[in-house]
Structure formats: C-alpha cells, structure tokens
Amino acid sequence: MMTINFHNKTGSKDLYLFFDYADALTSGVTGFSNMSYLQPWKDGTLALDSAYTCSFDWINSGTFWFLMTNETGANTITNHPNTAMGTADPNWVGGFFELTSLESDNMAYFDVTNVDQVGLVCGAKFSDGTRCGYGETANELISGLINGCGLSADTSAKVSIKGTDGTTYKKLWGPTVAQVSSQYSGAYDAYIKAIKDNITKLTFNADSTIGSPHCGTQLGSFKFTGYFGAPKMMPAGSSITDMNDIVASFEAIDCPKKGDITYIYLTKEALNGGTIMSGSSSGGMYVYPAFEYANPTTPSKIEKGGWANDVSLNWTATGANAVKDTTCFQAMISSVGRDLVTAMNLGYIGVTKKHNDFVYQDTTTYASAETQKKYINEWNKYITENSDSYGMAYSDGTHAKVQFHPPVNGTIDCFVLSQDDPSTDTYWSKYVAPKTKSGKGGGN
C-alpha cells in the first residue's frame, strides 16, 4: 500500500484536491475516488497544520491536482463535481503531479509537469529520502518565464484571480494553450522557413512495434527520409487540394513490406508553431497507403489500405482502450511526427550548408550551437533548468523529464505551497542547503 499525505502550506482552507485515474488496474483506494473534488480543510474538521491522508494498493495513470478558484470556478465545481477544470479556464490556479504504480511492474512512476501552465507548485518528500520540487517559488517561475520567453509585461498569458478566500492568485499559460500559443511560437514559423530554404534532408528511424501493446501487424523500424516544402508529385487520391499547403513530406521504402513505399504528408494544420510546441494537432497529416489503422467511429475495427486523410500528428485510436485499439502501423507513423517536433523544440535541425543532412539521434548531424540556442523551446528550457518538472511534450524522449520511483509500499508527503513560499527550493532534488557557522548544511 502507498500512502499520500497532502500538507496544505498555502495558508488557505479553501484549497481543493482533485483526483483523476484509470479505473482499470487501480485497487485498494481509500480517502478519495475517481474524478472527484475534496476540500478537506474546509468541509471537515481538519486543521490547516494537519495533513490529509489517502492511500491505494495500485494506481493506473493517476493525476493528483491541487487548486484554488474564484467564485465562478467554485460554482463550476459545484455544478460539475465530476469534471476536471479545463486547461484554458481562467477561473482557477493550481498544479498537479502524475503517479502510476502497477502491480505488474512493482514500481512506481512519479513526476511533476508544467507543459500547460505554472500556477501553484508543490514539494514532495518520499519515504526513501528522495525529494522532488522547484528551485524557485511560483511567483519567481512566472516572472522568469515571462522574461525568458520574451513575453510582454502585460501579456494575456498571465492570469490573475481573486480566490474564494480573498487572496489574489496568478498563473501563466504556456505555449500549448491555444489562445496564447502565438505569443510563444513565432520563432518556429521562422524555423520552418529556414529549414525549407536550406533544403535540409531529414531522416527519422520510426519506432519498432515488435512486442508492443498495440493491435494489428507488428512491424520493425523503418527509415523515413524527407524534406520541408511541397513535393514535386504525390500519389493520387488524397483530399489535399493544394500541394503548397504541404509543409513537409517523408517516405520509407519497403514499408511495411518489401517493394512498398509509405508516404507521410504534413500540411500547415499539422505542422506550425503551435503544433510544434504542443506536440499534436487536430488534423493535417495524410498517410498513404494506410496499411492498418483504427476506424475513427469504431476503433476496434481495423481499416486497411487507401489514404488516411487529415489525421492528427499524434495518430491514435480514442476511448478507454486507445492503446490497444491503436494499430502498430499508426504508432510507427506517429513516432516520426513525435521525433520531428521534438527535434524542432530543441533546435536540432540544421539551417546552414554545413548542417543540411539531419539524422535524428545522431548528434554529429545536429545543428550548430548557435542554431540550437536560437530555436530551443524557451518555456521548457526555463522549467527544466529551475525545477524537477518539464515543460514540453515528449520530454521523456529527450531526457528532460525527471521521473522518480518512490517505494511502492512507502509514503509520499506532498506539500502544496503558497506562491511566495521561501522554503520552495528546499524540496528541489538539486537543493544545496546553505552552510551554517559550524560548516554543516541546514535545511528542513
């Protein structure tokens, strides 16, 4: 059994906790339930200096939220008590951590993330002595991100609310939030043009799906090569009406069987500044021939052949069985898009004559340090440099995601902190306690 103690260090009894997890493979839950809110310091007799304790035997894809709201947000929770607050909802400020601990793995996976926003932050202590947290207070992170990302002082990405307790809380929306993404993504529109003008050749080795949990025919890794810009020609039958809408195209020979060529076309809807920073799109990818893929209306039914038109960059099935219903072919194709946007977020693709033959994961082919610095995702860079959190999709593939493994039968103490709590950095894994007069480190 794993125990979680939530310590409310915000100074407000109005703090909400919200729990979201997959029911399958989750067991032994006590003190909380799926898709539910609690205000244990307000609704019960729990004092502010007392922790709220909950536990479970095993948990699948758990997300543990902590948040403050204004009156409008509180009314939303009252009227929709089993619904998570939307990322773009301006009426709450909060944060969360992710936790999975499955019996089959006998290992727990814990991380904090700020891909979408920075609001409230937490510090965590695990029973094995490990710590996880932030090197700056929430207020310092917000100010640092505004400066680091080149946002204006009056940016609409910065949101303030008057909490139900009368306190003002702030949050900063990140580049994945649609209404502000253009404030972050302009550099990537320029990057696309620079790669195209340089005629940089791109090579990606798609994921092997041998032994994967996906359905359909298991496939090995295939090499996709391509360029930015409209192709000179393409197979007939797609629903693309203007080839100039194509931003990038790729092809793999002998995929998925000898003698076949598989084509991927990414239009402006699939690949632009916003989708590069968010890691996905609502559509805009075209694949031919679509070897095997989940029927959009009946995911358990596998379609074969022809064009897959206007699909998401992150091409998967949907629903409770999305992983199982996604075919191996879809997963393979999606891995190309994943690696492409990851490379662009990190400025890896060259834009000079000396760097015009890019192979993902071959660092000798990567762009110059100057190019990488110019096009790196500044939001993610600042967060990873100042916390144990991460700030971009697919961070686990770039080693920017810090993942912890607390004991499966241990305890996690989660301290939800005020936005200016001076002890915030003491929970950070990189924290170094200042030396005392005796020469020994201090700390909590």
Side-chain angles (χ1 to χ4, degrees), residues 116-430:
D116 299 319
Q117 58 193 300
V118 171
L120 295 180
V121 301
C122 70
K125 294 181 181 179
F126 309 125
S127 52
D128 63 358
T130 308
R131 298 186 180 202
C132 169
Y134 296 77
E136 297 184 337
T137 68
N139 287 340
E140 289 169 338
L141 283 167
I142 290 171
S143 296
L145 284 163
I146 289 173
N147 292 331
C149 296
L151 303 179
S152 63
D154 60 349
T155 172
S156 59
K158 184 179 178 180
V159 179
S160 295
I161 67 167
K162 183 178 180 181
T164 52
D165 59 358
T167 301
T168 297
Y169 296 92
K170 295 177 291 186
K171 69 177 173 182
L172 185 67
W173 279 325
T176 63
V177 179
Q179 58 260 51
V180 300
S181 64
S182 62
Q183 297 181 43
Y184 295 93
S185 62
Y188 289 104
D189 295 325
Y191 194 19
I192 289 173
K193 183 178 185 304
I195 296 170
K196 176 184 174 183
D197 291 347
N198 194 53
I199 318 177
T200 305
K201 181 182 178 182
L202 309 171
T203 301
F204 297 92
N205 293 302
D207 285 356
S208 168
T209 56
I210 303 298
S212 78
H214 304 297
C215 67
T217 305
Q218 295 188 354
L219 302 165
S221 176
F222 293 93
K223 181 169 74 174
F224 282 81
T225 59
Y227 295 88
F228 277 24
K232 294 180 179 179
M233 58 184 299
M234 59 187 295
S238 85
S239 60
I240 299 174
T241 57
D242 185 353
M243 286 177 58
N244 289 318
D245 285 339
I246 298 173
V247 177
S249 60
F250 300 89
E251 63 179 59
I253 300 172
D254 295 334
C255 170
K257 61 182 179 180
K258 192 167 182 61
D260 285 356
I261 300 177
T262 295
Y263 300 90
I264 303 173
Y265 299 94
L266 304 176
T267 66
K268 296 173 183 177
E269 183 182 355
L271 197 65
N272 56 62
T275 60
I276 290 166
M277 297 194 82
S278 69
S280 190
S281 69
S282 59
M285 182 168 74
Y286 297 75
V287 182
Y288 179 85
F291 176 61
E292 293 176 343
Y293 62 101
N295 184 299
T297 57
T298 311
S300 59
K301 180 181 178 183
I302 296 179
E303 300 286 351
K304 296 189 177 187
W307 280 91
N309 287 305
D310 200 23
V311 297
S312 169
L313 194 61
N314 184 19
W315 188 26
T316 63
T318 58
N321 298 313
V323 173
K324 183 179 178 181
D325 289 340
T326 297
T327 66
C328 290
F329 180 77
Q330 285 177 279
M332 178 190 71
I333 297 296
S334 294
S335 73
V336 176
R338 176 202 67 205
D339 291 345
L340 173 61
V341 299
T342 299
M344 295 192 71
N345 271 287
L346 298 173
Y348 284 167
I349 300 174
V351 294
T352 63
K353 289 183 179 180
K354 187 178 179 180
H355 302 90
N356 65 353
D357 191 352
F358 171 80
V359 180
Y360 188 67
Q361 293 188 331
D362 179 354
T363 57
T364 65
T365 70
Y366 285 9
S368 65
E370 181 183 2
T371 297
Q372 293 184 42
K373 182 178 180 181
K374 183 176 182 178
Y375 293 112
I376 195 168
N377 181 325
E378 294 289 353
W379 173 275
N380 181 64
K381 178 176 180 287
Y382 192 89
I383 288 172
T384 56
E385 287 179 349
N386 294 284
S387 74
D388 293 319
S389 183
Y390 64 98
M392 61 174 266
Y394 309 127
S395 289
D396 46 349
T398 64
H399 309 294
K401 182 175 182 177
V402 182
Q403 200 162 57
F404 294 85
H405 303 289
V408 295
N409 292 312
T411 299
I412 298 174
D413 284 284
C414 174
F415 298 82
V416 184
L417 306 170
S418 67
Q419 295 194 293
D420 58 358
D421 190 319
S423 72
T424 298
D425 64 345
T426 64
Y427 301 95
W428 190 22
S429 65
K430 296 180 182 179

